[in-house]
Amino acid sequence: MADTQYILPNDIGVSSLDCREAFRLLSPAERLYAHHLSRAAWYGGLAVLLQTSPEAPYIYALLSRLFRAQDPDQLRQHALAEGLTEEDYQAFLVYAAGVYSNMGNYKSFGDTKFVPNLPKEKLERVILGSEAAQQHPEEVRGLWQTCGELMFCLEPRLRHLGLGKEGITTYFSGNCTMEDAKLAQDFLDSQNLSAYNTRLFKEVDREGKPHYEVRLASVLGTEPSPDSEVTSKLKSYEFRGSPFQVTRGDYAPILQKVVEQLDKAKAYAANSHQKQMLAQYIDSFTQGSIEAHKRGSRFWIQDKGPIVESYIGFIESYRDPFGSRGEFEGFVAVVNKAMSAKFERLVASAEQLLKELPWPPAFEKDKFLTPDFTSLDVLTFAGSGIPAGINIPNYDDLRQTEGFKNVSLGNVLAVAYATQREKLTFLEEDDKDLYILWKGPSFDVQVGLHELLGHGSGKLFVQDEKGAFNFDQETVINPETGEQIQSWYRSGETWDSKFSTIASSYEECRAESVGLYLGLHPQVLEIFGFEGADAEDVIYVNWLNMVRAGLLALEFYTPEASNWRQAHMQARFVILRVLLEAGEGLVTITPTTGSDGRPDARVRLDRSKIHSVGKPALERFLRKLQVLKSTGDVAGGRALYEGYAAVTDAPPECFLTLRDTVLLRKESRKLIVQPNTRLEGSDVQLLEYEASAAGLIRSFTERFPEDGPELEEILTQLATADARFWKGPSEAPSGQA
């Protein structure tokens, strides 16, 4: 059997998203609006398979064929007859549920490959003897032959997502290196093109000269179309001696289905903002235009307090090894009015609270653009995973000048709160009951501050294309050096493009630190209804949770490559390092032996020193983070952040040894079962499923009732068309990875 790092255990937690009451309260028009937006999101989410690994689309198509012909219970009878044990079959169901849940065969949280936890020969017997194989023998056998080996393969390069020799990615062809990624980013910057909706493909000619294709995601391909901001960019270029070709049409048939559903949603939009937003999204996905998506995002920001909230597009860049390309995601959710009222009070206090942050006023936005901040119950979240909160859009220029929205996903948080005492690792026994009692409330506070005042704070110093600065060069002083500002962002540069591989994690760390820091403020705690001893318990559990998360984060560090695989967890480890460095016994980690005789550890946080020792340490660190970000000081930012993110076995903590303990005690991330909506006449029905691997599989089997086989054909055709770019599993490019 495979190393436990690379399997999903049979007893993995599975929870259902509860949105029944929120959906019940929607009007008929709101339900239709939510339905068509959900359809658009689910269709678009299939693109993630093509953004993950070469084999993911084939695995998805194979599983979908199997379970459409026989549901999990029917297939179980066949599997047992083929000699599988109940444990073997449950392992297969968990694997299939994992593929659907992560939209691929790599974990969305950690970017680690997972493989079926049963012998390949047994799975092969189940697949080739299945009802699906009887109905379509050539297709099913062909899919198995294409993806069977890769499904189980754990060669070193295939264990994690990464670039070059460090891992596999389909954002780049298999022969691309980090140097290629940097060159492509410079090219994109020179043409004022965003990387968000692109992939990069490199081919080398007979003379050994590389030729690059930058491919935009769009419905339209090479066919003539009306002039737009994109069509003028679709041509050949010479950049630093290398030929570049900008093309479009990536994921075209998938995006066509997205566009059709967005167009249907327009008929049920509640106002002109929503109609204009959808029109721009349709233009963006049709043309391949990020500028159109920005225009849609402007209308989205202006659509304050909608009953049905949504966002869709190429959004988060966490899984691009270079940190610039966005994974497709789409969500549809319904406002939870009671919790939203607390967030509205937090927004009303935001301008005052921003003054409490530990950097000079010149490093804060000129004007706080009051955002929407709502608590939502998710109806649909398509992509590779579901976050607890979101602050979007991610476009720096919009965030600095137009504003943003914050959402806290209440029914996702409810799933995250559910903690079994016996599964609580690395805490002292006398902390566990307090932790269980206050984890939920403290997480509400942390998510609220993280999204609103973490991601929503701070100014970027920019020189525009006309040479004008958005700060006073004469009077603004760097508080870390005492000198005038020496660096800034040039026109076309963004936070992601400039800080690239550390951008996502650095920003998550800044937002988490803001949450911890402002979470000490009595005014904040009072907004959420906590005073006196309760408020102190919320503070303690919030900080304790962060410290424990920093230790758990070691699961997502790869010693062989000396890199981190998950931005949020790297951020939490960095905060743990900062608090350990504060000294005076604020945080201690003690290796122990568990009751089972195996290595264990205990994390202690001295609650009497949070304000006196922890707060000043966090204050110093936060100021440095913001100053380096504002000034675009990449060298300084990397030195600071990578220094804290380094994992060694140096005493007293011996983090590499602790990592072995963390892996020994780790609990897999829960899988989440989402409902479907179905149009019956003019009514929309909500279809819910049991919280199990089989229930999750059924939800996907019923997700595309009209065109499931067509979608599988589309996915395999798109994957096959580009298969040459990943010729063999072990072919890593030469040169630097």
Side-chain angles (χ1 to χ4, degrees), residues 22-38:
F23 184 79
R24 187 183 68 80
L25 295 172
L26 294 179
S27 70
E30 288 164 348
R31 289 186 182 189
L32 284 160
Y33 183 64
H35 168 72
H36 289 297
L37 289 176
S38 292

Side-chain angles (χ1 to χ4, degrees), residues 40 219 254-265 281-286:
V219 175
I254 293 172
L255 292 177
Q256 176 64 47
K257 290 182 177 287
V258 174
V259 164
E260 288 167 3
Q261 292 297 325
L262 293 177
D263 196 47
K264 289 179 180 178
Y281 291 164
I282 288 169
D283 190 42
S284 171
F285 299 141
T286 301

Side-chain angles (χ1 to χ4, degrees), residues 72-251:
D73 289 340
Q74 294 167 333
L75 194 62
R76 175 177 171 272
Q77 299 307 317
H78 162 61
L80 296 180
E82 288 286 357
L84 273 71
T85 64
E86 289 282 5
E87 290 74 21
D88 289 334
Y89 186 61
Q90 177 64 15
F92 173 54
L93 290 186
V94 165
Y95 175 77
V99 170
Y100 285 134
S101 189
N102 291 278
M103 268 291 100
N105 56 331
Y106 286 75
K107 296 176 190 174
S108 65
F109 206 79
D111 296 341
T112 302
K113 188 173 186 176
F114 58 96
V115 301
N117 190 25
L118 72 160
K120 180 168 176 268
E121 300 72 30
K122 286 188 174 183
L123 182 54
E124 183 172 46
R125 288 205 302 273
V126 172
I127 290 169
L128 297 185
S130 67
E131 188 65 34
Q134 308 307 316
Q135 294 171 2
H136 304 283
E138 289 184 16
E139 289 91 333
V140 171
R141 184 174 290 277
L143 287 168
W144 174 248
Q145 288 174 344
T146 302
C147 68
E149 287 292 335
L150 284 168
M151 192 186 285
F152 283 83
C153 184
L154 284 172
E155 290 185 19
R157 190 187 173 211
L158 301 186
R159 292 174 187 171
H160 308 289
L161 297 181
L163 189 55
K165 288 182 266 190
E166 302 299 338
I168 191 76
T169 176
T170 46
Y171 283 115
F172 298 85
S173 57
N175 57 354
C176 281
T177 65
M178 193 59 79
E179 275 64 37
D180 296 314
K182 290 173 183 171
L183 179 67
Q185 186 63 58
D186 289 346
F187 165 72
L188 290 166
D189 289 345
S190 75
Q191 298 303 317
N192 206 22
L193 274 171
S194 170
Y196 270 120
N197 65 341
T198 70
R199 292 198 288 168
L200 183 70
F201 300 91
K202 179 173 81 169
E203 295 195 86
V204 180
D205 64 23
R206 290 179 180 177
E207 283 74 48
K209 185 174 185 177
H211 295 249
Y212 298 96
E213 177 195 359
V214 172
R215 191 188 302 168
L216 311 180
S218 67
V219 175
L220 294 176
T222 56
E223 63 272 26
S225 62
D227 279 349
S228 72
E229 59 236 344
V230 175
T231 50
S232 62
K233 306 278 189 183
L234 301 173
K235 58 184 180 182
S236 298
Y237 301 80
E238 188 82 14
F239 183 74
R240 294 183 189 164
S242 293
F244 275 81
Q245 179 86 24
V246 177
T247 66
R248 68 178 173 186
D250 218 358
Y251 326 119

Side-chain angles (χ1 to χ4, degrees), residues 676-716:
N676 285 319
T677 55
R678 179 175 294 169
L679 194 56
E680 295 182 1
S682 59
D683 295 330
V684 179
Q685 302 298 319
L686 185 72
L687 306 180
E688 297 176 285
Y689 303 88
E690 67 177 25
S692 67
L696 200 157
I697 290 165
R698 287 190 182 97
S699 74
F700 267 88
T701 304
E702 297 181 14
R703 193 142 282 156
F704 304 106
E706 307 90 0
D707 50 7
E710 179 196 352
L711 290 168
E712 292 145 30
E713 186 72 18
I714 285 170
L715 285 165
T716 55

Side-chain angles (χ1 to χ4, degrees), residues 109 343 373-376 378 381 385-391 407-414 416-417 443-444 447-448 450-451 568 572 669 672:
F109 206 79
F343 289 137
F373 197 168
T374 48
S375 177
L376 305 174
V378 171
F381 206 111
I386 311 179
I390 319 171
N391 175 288
V407 294
S408 173
L409 304 178
N411 55 347
V412 178
L413 286 169
Y417 296 161
F443 205 37
D444 281 335
V447 169
H450 172 116
E451 300 298 346
H568 296 79
R572 290 161 189 165
R669 198 170 172 82
I672 296 181

Side-chain angles (χ1 to χ4, degrees), residues 659-677:
R659 178 179 177 272
D660 294 335
T661 304
V662 169
L663 289 175
L664 190 67
R665 305 270 174 193
K666 76 183 180 77
E667 184 183 359
S668 292
R669 198 170 172 82
K670 289 176 185 172
L671 303 180
I672 296 181
V673 183
Q674 298 188 54
N676 285 319
T677 55

